[in-house]
Amino acid sequence: MSKMPLPDYPPRPMDAPTALDGLLVIDFTRVVAGPACTQTLADFGAKVIKIENPDGGDDTRAYEHAEIGGESAAYLSLNRNKRGIALDLAVPEAREVARELISRADVVVENFSASVMEKFGLDYASVAPTNPRLIYCAISAYGRSGPFASRPGFDPITQAESGFMSLNGFPDGPPVRTGPPIVDMATGMSACNAILLALLARDRIGRGQYVEVALFDIAMAMTGFYGMAYLINGANPGRFGNSPNGSPTVGVYEASDGPLYMACANDRLYRRLVTEVLERPDLITHPDFATRKARSANKEKLRAVIAGIFAGDKLETWMAKMKRANIPVGYLRTVEQGFNAPEARERQRLSRIPHPTAGFVPNIATPLNMELTPPADPAAAPLLGEHTKQVLRGILGYDDARLGALAQAGAFGKLTSETAVT
């Protein structure tokens, strides 16, 4: 096992604006869904102020996947381009600071447990009267109202309860959650979309609004056409492993020296596969395989034939033949192989960026690309409370006396040499 060398991040054009210049976002989120949402806003120029409890901060800071410079991989992957401040919201003075920041904000995003923001007087009903143009986005497991609002929930729980997990895995095995927290990530994307929609609406109607996104709702929506098929025909969909709907020409096959993933999902591609790649035109004319319905009915027989052919030659031979025939195919890569692949390199997906304690940390580029307003140059996720004094001086105009009083009151956590005003 070895770490791959990473290039420095290629800087953006100096004169290019960002899409969200001037937008102020107050970020009360932690773990995955909320930080994923606000990171996208930050990537495109919004000034995102991440507020954390000084006693440990975001839960992901302690995640075990890997760490560098005292920061976890999970935290670094979800909090790029933000400014971090530490506020102990149990302290009245800290809540007053939070209210002042919200009064100047365009957007607030929170994903606390139910009633936490109400307890602190930071919920939408409490803060909207002083900032009617505010977009306030609440992210939760089951929504902020109704009988399930107080239920705690996480990505795999909503995968399980929505039916989404029942679609993943093989027919003869148990349901399987996705490896990465896909519902969390999709919820973050959806929350970002909702915020941008609300900002567009604000330009038309002149006021902000409350926005809500729930993990359970997203997980149910992600059942997609399988869920819609159930509503139409009443048949409970099952698991199909790597071959959706049991298609014999979609899925993993083994060449003599390695695996590939093929997706021939229509008759046109199937004909090209069997004639130009497999050189078996009889797989078109044989009545068991002549139509899509016939192939589905005889999928195990056809899969065995195709598997036997693929096993007879090397992976690169098959890849070359399939690419010449324009058959959708890919290598079945590990993370290490995928991150070292030419696609990742040519698309400049990976780089390193400066970090105050690690020197440099890895960076996975935002997947969103905009020609006229490219993403901001990436800045590493902030240390806990790194920008507290800078933000409060710059945005709220606090002087040393006010900062010192807040520190003495415990607003920034227990008074140490680091929280003392310098």
Side-chain angles (χ1 to χ4, degrees):
M1 183 174 66
S2 62
K3 291 198 302 184
M4 63 184 295
L6 295 171
D8 291 336
Y9 183 84
R12 71 197 302 276
M14 291 185 63
D15 58 345
T18 55
L20 301 177
D21 272 341
L23 197 74
L24 178 60
V25 179
I26 308 303
D27 177 3
F28 291 94
T29 70
R30 70 241 190 271
V31 193
V32 180
C37 165
T38 53
Q39 179 168 267
T40 299
L41 299 174
D43 281 344
F44 286 88
K47 183 180 288 185
V48 175
I49 310 302
K50 182 179 178 72
I51 296 179
E52 296 180 80
N53 187 324
D55 184 16
D58 192 319
D59 293 350
T60 58
R61 289 182 179 274
Y63 280 18
E64 301 86 1
H65 305 91
E67 69 89 29
I68 183 171
E71 302 289 359
S72 75
Y75 174 75
L76 290 170
S77 73
L78 292 161
N79 293 284
R80 178 179 55 229
N81 281 333
K82 302 176 186 179
R83 294 165 174 82
I85 75 173
L87 289 177
D88 184 351
L89 296 177
V91 175
E93 290 85 351
R95 296 197 292 273
E96 183 57 35
V97 173
R99 279 190 284 270
E100 285 194 56
L101 288 169
I102 292 172
S103 72
R104 304 188 185 202
D106 296 284
V107 177
V108 165
V109 190
E110 63 92 3
N111 66 342
F112 278 113
S113 299
S115 302
V116 169
M117 294 300 271
E118 288 92 334
K119 179 180 72 173
F120 291 145
L122 301 175
D123 56 303
Y124 181 67
S126 298
V127 300
T130 59
N131 186 357
R133 288 177 57 80
L134 180 69
I135 310 300
Y136 191 109
C137 179
I139 301 171
S140 63
Y142 299 97
R144 289 293 188 220
S145 61
F148 306 110
S150 62
R151 281 192 64 192
F154 294 91
D155 174 293
I157 304 300
T158 57
Q159 286 195 37
E161 292 201 329
S162 64
F164 178 86
M165 192 183 295
S166 75
L167 301 171
N168 302 322
F170 289 89
D172 57 351
V176 178
R177 63 165 286 181
T178 62
I182 190 67
V183 172
D184 270 335
M185 300 302 292
T187 300
M189 293 179 209
S190 298
C192 185
N193 284 342
I195 289 166
L196 296 176
L197 290 169
L199 287 167
L200 285 172
R202 187 177 74 172
D203 287 343
R204 295 202 324 275
I205 65 178
R207 60 165 299 159
Q209 61 181 294
Y210 180 74
V211 170
E212 184 180 295
V213 185
L215 271 70
F216 182 84
D217 300 351
I218 298 298
M220 180 168 284
M222 288 174 63
T223 63
F225 45 76
Y226 293 107
M228 183 60 73
Y230 163 71
L231 294 174
I232 290 172
N233 62 25
N236 193 33
R239 292 180 291 285
F240 306 105
N242 290 314
S243 301
N245 293 324
S247 171
T249 50
V250 177
V252 176
Y253 284 92
E254 294 280 345
S256 62
D257 58 347
L260 57 85
Y261 192 97
M262 175 177 68
C264 292
N266 60 45
D267 284 334
R268 174 175 48 84
L269 290 171
Y270 176 75
R271 285 194 295 271
R272 289 215 303 264
L273 170 70
V274 298
T275 56
E276 299 178 36
V277 176
L278 305 181
E279 300 178 10
R280 287 286 303 273
D282 59 299
L283 297 178
I284 294 177
T285 57
H286 193 290
D288 285 351
F289 312 128
T291 66
R292 184 182 176 109
K293 280 189 176 181
R295 293 193 293 274
S296 293
N298 296 283
K299 58 180 178 290
E300 297 305 328
K301 184 190 298 185
L302 179 55
R303 178 170 284 276
V305 172
I306 295 174
I309 298 171
F310 275 129
D313 212 333
K314 292 184 176 182
L315 177 63
E316 291 303 331
T317 300
W318 293 119
M319 294 297 285
K321 292 182 73 171
M322 295 175 85
K323 288 178 180 178
R324 282 196 299 271
N326 203 24
I327 299 294
V329 66
Y331 297 97
L332 187 60
R333 293 168 172 151
T334 63
V335 171
E336 180 180 17
Q337 291 168 335
F339 277 38
N340 283 279
E343 292 90 343
R345 183 173 58 251
E346 292 301 319
R347 295 191 57 75
Q348 298 182 308
R349 293 294 83 203
L350 305 172
S351 64
R352 65 174 196 165
I353 55 178
H355 187 271
T357 59
F360 289 90
V361 295
N363 181 60
I364 302 174
T366 174
L368 307 179
N369 298 284
M370 300 178 72
E371 181 180 6
L372 298 181
T373 55
D377 288 332
L383 304 178
L384 181 56
E386 179 179 352
H387 305 107
T388 301
K389 298 177 183 66
Q390 175 188 331
V391 165
L392 299 186
R393 283 188 176 110
I395 294 179
L396 300 181
Y398 288 1
D399 58 17
D400 286 351
R402 180 71 190 277
L403 292 171
L406 288 167
Q408 288 292 335
F412 309 141
K414 293 180 179 178
L415 189 63
T416 65
S417 58
E418 292 181 0
T419 56
V421 177
T422 57

